[in-house]
């Protein structure tokens, strides 16, 4: 008889090296973001004891379970710090009030300031009509500007700037409306949609960090202009579905240089915008491009742009990659925190956007499927969901709105409804754009 690969283990009997593959409750009801991990620190064992009575251990993925704890803790120092970040990020109920001192917001990557969840002035339904007009106009203008650049025209910066102010105003009134529209955009014209969505996310993160309206304007403008240099690349290279050769990768990376050259010809352009475009592909560990600068030498606006650019790219269908669910993308960003991205900045991004951003498809613990229509600022794991499909994945005759914050939570989870997991865009044939009033 084959040996059992997965065994049930009481949390009081956990040891270093054991690979925890399943909990006695939903992962999202615990501080553990990664669904499956090897135990490397005392902190992880204590957290498991705090939240679970027993777990399931995969023996095939476990290693060194009998190794002395002292040595294991020493070997797991860096993972312990990462686990600490995981736990902080998943504490969505607290208000973030920490300050990170530094120079100007645009010029210093150390200048991270969070005022905690900002209050919306209007509800998402009230803001949506205005946001639709703003989003549509911005998308049209970005398409026209980039089409003009492809045919040898000049960068009309005044035209681009004309759509930034309404975007900032919309985000200041309600943080979810433009985010929603950015996530339900059409699948065509990746470059235009990506530029617009990245701009929206930079404004949202900037609002959360407490930047002034003028600074939000600079962030939004920079986000729209990040990829203008791609207009100088062949379409065949940008739409190629097969893996790029080394030479092709080098050519694509030149878009940063091309963008900078286009912007250097723009009179009176704020230097922070130019720096943002120039450094949005730099990475905290120095492994970015084109300058290979690292850490706090990367301007804050450049770091914000890099993070928002990466998140939107991961959650968008591209010629060479399938779109990830927002939840999976957040997990990947968190896994790269402290390496590719400044850890505190990743934490703040998750705090303001949420693990399940507005417009995300999710499956509930009931088996029902819905779309997130607004956030609960202090309980990011419990947003407001419009339920579209029943437990059998059949379309409901009448959609229902569920505020997960108001759902009862008993000790055994019996009367509670929670998000089981995020779904990839298009799951079950759902286009969220078709299901929002």
């Amino acid at each position: 008889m084959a040996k059992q690969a997965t065994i049930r283990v009481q949390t009081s009997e956990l040891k270093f090296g054991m690979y925890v593959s399943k909990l006695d409750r939903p992962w999202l009801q615990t501080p553990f973001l990664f669904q499956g991990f090897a135990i490397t620190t005392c902190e992880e064992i204590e957290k498991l004891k705090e939240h679970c009575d027993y777990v399931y251990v995969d023996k095939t993925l476990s290693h060194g379970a009998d190794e002395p704890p002292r040595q294991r803790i020493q070997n797991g120092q860096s993972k312990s710090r990462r686990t600490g970040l995981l736990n902080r990020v998943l504490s969505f109920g607290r208000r973030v009030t920490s300050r990170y001192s530094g120079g100007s917001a645009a010029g210093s990557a150390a200048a991270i300031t969070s005022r905690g969840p900002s209050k919306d002035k209007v509800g998402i339904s009230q803001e949506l009509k205005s946001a639709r007009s703003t989003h549509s106009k911005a998308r049209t203008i970005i398409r026209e500007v980039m089409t003009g650049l492809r045919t040898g025209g000049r960068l009309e910066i005044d035209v681009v700037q004309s759509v930034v102010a309404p975007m900032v105003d919309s985000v200041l009134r309600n943080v979810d409306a433009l985010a929603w529209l950015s996530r339900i955009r059409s699948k065509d014209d990746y470059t235009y949609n990506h530029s617009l969505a990245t701009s929206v996310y930079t404004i949202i993160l900037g609002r959360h960090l407490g930047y002034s309206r003028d600074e939000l304007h600079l962030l939004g403008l920079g986000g729209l202009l990040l990829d203008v240099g791609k207009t100088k690349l062949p379409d065949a290279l940008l739409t190629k579905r097969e893996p790029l050769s080394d030479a092709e990768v080098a050519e694509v990376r030149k878009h940063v240089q091309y963008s900078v050259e286009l912007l250097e010809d723009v009179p009176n352009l704020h230097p922070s915008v130019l720096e943002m475009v120039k450094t949005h592909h730099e990475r905290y560990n120095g492994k970015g491009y084109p300058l290979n600068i690292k850490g706090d030498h990367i301007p804050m606006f450049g770091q914000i742009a890099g993070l928002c650019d990466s998140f939107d790219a991961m959650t968008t269908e591209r010629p060479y990659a399938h779109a990830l669910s927002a939840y999976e993308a957040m997990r990947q960003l968190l896994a790269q925190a402290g390496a590719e991205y400044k850890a505190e900045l990743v934490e703040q991004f998750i705090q303001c956007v949420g693990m399940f951003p507005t417009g995300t498809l999710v499956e509930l613990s009931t088996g029902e499927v819905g779309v997130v229509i607004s956030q609960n600022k202090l309980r990011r794991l419990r947003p407001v969901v419009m339920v579209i499909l029943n437990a059998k994945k059949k379309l409901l005759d009448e959609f229902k709105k569920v505020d997960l914050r108001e759902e009862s939570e008993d000790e055994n989870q019996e009367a509670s409804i929670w998000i089981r997991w995020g779904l990839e865009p298009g799951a079950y044939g759902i286009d969220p754009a078709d299901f929002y009033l």
Side-chain angles (χ1 to χ4, degrees):
M1 180 181 292
K3 292 184 178 179
Q4 187 178 4
T6 302
I7 58 174
R8 175 171 154 168
V9 178
Q10 296 294 317
T11 52
S12 59
E13 299 176 358
L14 290 174
K15 298 179 181 180
F16 293 95
M18 287 183 171
Y19 187 92
V20 179
S21 61
K22 185 179 178 182
L23 307 179
D24 63 357
R25 65 203 61 223
W27 284 92
L28 292 178
Q29 301 300 307
T30 71
F32 298 101
L33 185 60
F34 295 97
Q35 299 186 19
F37 63 94
I39 298 174
T40 60
T41 69
C42 289
E43 183 180 11
E44 289 167 343
I45 291 178
E46 291 306 313
K47 282 292 180 183
L48 285 167
K49 287 180 179 178
E50 179 182 345
H51 292 276
C52 304
D53 297 321
Y54 60 87
V55 298
Y56 293 90
V57 171
D58 188 331
K59 293 192 294 185
T60 63
L61 297 177
S62 300
H63 59 87
D66 294 326
E67 194 173 332
R70 183 181 299 276
Q71 183 178 350
R72 294 293 301 172
I73 293 172
Q74 183 178 359
N75 293 342
Q77 284 294 329
S78 61
K79 290 189 177 182
S80 177
R81 288 194 295 271
R82 179 65 49 79
T83 301
L85 176 61
L86 297 183
N87 295 336
R88 291 203 309 276
V89 170
L90 266 287
S91 298
F92 290 105
R94 66 177 172 82
R95 295 179 65 88
V96 182
T97 56
S98 55
R99 289 179 176 270
Y100 302 88
S101 61
S104 67
S108 172
I112 299 181
T113 304
S114 173
R115 296 178 179 176
S118 303
K119 290 184 178 181
D120 291 330
K121 298 177 181 177
V122 299
I124 184 172
S125 298
Q126 186 178 347
E127 177 60 26
L128 196 58
K129 182 178 180 180
S130 174
R132 274 202 187 100
S133 175
T134 297
H135 187 271
S136 177
K137 181 179 179 182
R139 187 173 182 273
T140 298
I141 285 180
I142 289 302
R143 185 194 297 112
E144 291 175 351
V145 167
M146 290 198 173
T147 299
L149 289 173
R150 283 194 178 281
T151 56
R154 293 179 59 83
L155 177 58
E156 301 292 341
I157 195 68
D158 291 341
V159 176
V160 179
Q161 286 181 324
S162 69
V163 301
V164 178
M167 289 169 60
V168 171
D169 289 339
S170 179
V171 170
L172 289 175
R173 287 192 298 265
N174 182 280
V175 76
D176 289 325
L178 267 184
W180 165 270
L181 294 170
S182 297
R183 288 190 58 77
I184 63 174
R185 73 284 185 97
S186 60
K187 295 181 180 179
D188 61 338
D189 296 339
Y190 166 74
T191 299
Y192 313 141
N193 288 313
H194 175 60
S195 297
L196 179 52
T198 300
S199 178
V200 170
Y201 285 125
T202 62
I203 296 171
I204 289 172
L205 180 53
R207 167 186 151 161
H208 179 78
L209 297 176
Y211 287 157
S212 68
R213 192 183 187 286
D214 288 343
E215 289 169 327
L216 295 183
H217 189 280
L218 294 176
L219 278 170
L221 179 60
L224 290 174
L225 298 174
L226 292 181
D227 289 337
V228 291
K230 287 185 177 179
T231 59
K232 304 303 179 185
L233 298 175
D235 282 337
L237 191 59
L238 296 175
T239 58
K240 185 176 179 180
R241 294 184 176 276
E242 298 79 20
L244 300 181
S245 66
D246 290 345
E248 289 171 329
V249 169
E251 183 62 26
V252 170
R253 289 186 171 188
K254 288 181 181 178
H255 81 273
V256 176
Q257 173 189 332
Y258 297 149
S259 295
V260 171
E261 290 172 355
L262 284 169
L263 294 178
E264 284 178 336
D265 290 335
V266 175
N268 303 317
L269 182 68
H270 197 286
S272 294
V273 174
L274 187 60
E275 278 194 338
M276 182 175 174
V277 174
K278 185 184 297 185
T279 61
H280 76 281
H281 279 296
E282 303 297 337
R283 292 297 178 258
Y284 203 67
N285 56 10
K287 295 183 179 180
Y289 67 90
L291 304 174
N292 301 119
I293 55 179
K294 64 187 297 186
D296 289 346
H297 293 290
I298 306 172
M300 174 53 72
F301 276 20
Q303 290 203 48
I304 289 175
L307 185 60
C308 295
D309 173 74
S310 295
F311 174 75
D312 184 71
M314 286 190 286
T315 54
T316 304
E317 195 76 18
R318 291 168 285 171
Y320 52 88
H322 291 299
L324 298 178
S325 68
Y327 176 69
E328 183 60 34
M330 288 296 191
R331 284 178 35 161
Q332 289 201 16
L333 290 178
L334 193 53
Q336 297 161 356
E340 301 231 349
Y341 311 100
K342 189 179 182 75
E344 294 90 344
L345 192 61
V346 173
E347 179 178 356
Q348 298 304 325
F349 183 71
I350 295 176
Q351 287 282 350
C352 72
V353 175
M355 287 300 298
F356 303 104
T358 303
T360 299
L361 288 175
V362 295
E363 182 167 329
L364 303 178
S365 56
T366 58
E368 297 169 306
V369 173
V371 59
V372 176
I373 60 174
S374 65
Q375 299 289 325
N376 285 317
K377 306 305 179 187
L378 296 178
R379 301 199 68 185
R380 286 298 189 178
L381 292 179
R382 289 189 167 272
V384 179
V385 177
M386 179 178 289
V387 180
I388 296 169
L389 306 181
N390 64 22
K392 295 182 179 180
K393 309 303 185 283
K394 301 295 184 181
L395 193 66
L396 292 173
D397 293 331
E398 185 175 343
F399 307 144
K400 61 180 180 179
K401 185 170 72 171
V402 178
D403 187 341
L404 296 179
R405 182 182 55 180
E406 296 178 355
E407 292 299 314
S408 60
E409 294 180 79
D410 67 17
E411 202 173 279
N412 299 315
Q413 304 291 339
E414 291 180 356
S416 179
I417 300 176
W418 63 89
I419 293 178
R420 182 176 291 163
W421 47 59
L423 299 173
E424 294 181 2
Y428 300 109
I430 297 174
D431 181 354
D434 296 334
F435 299 100
Y436 196 81
L437 300 179

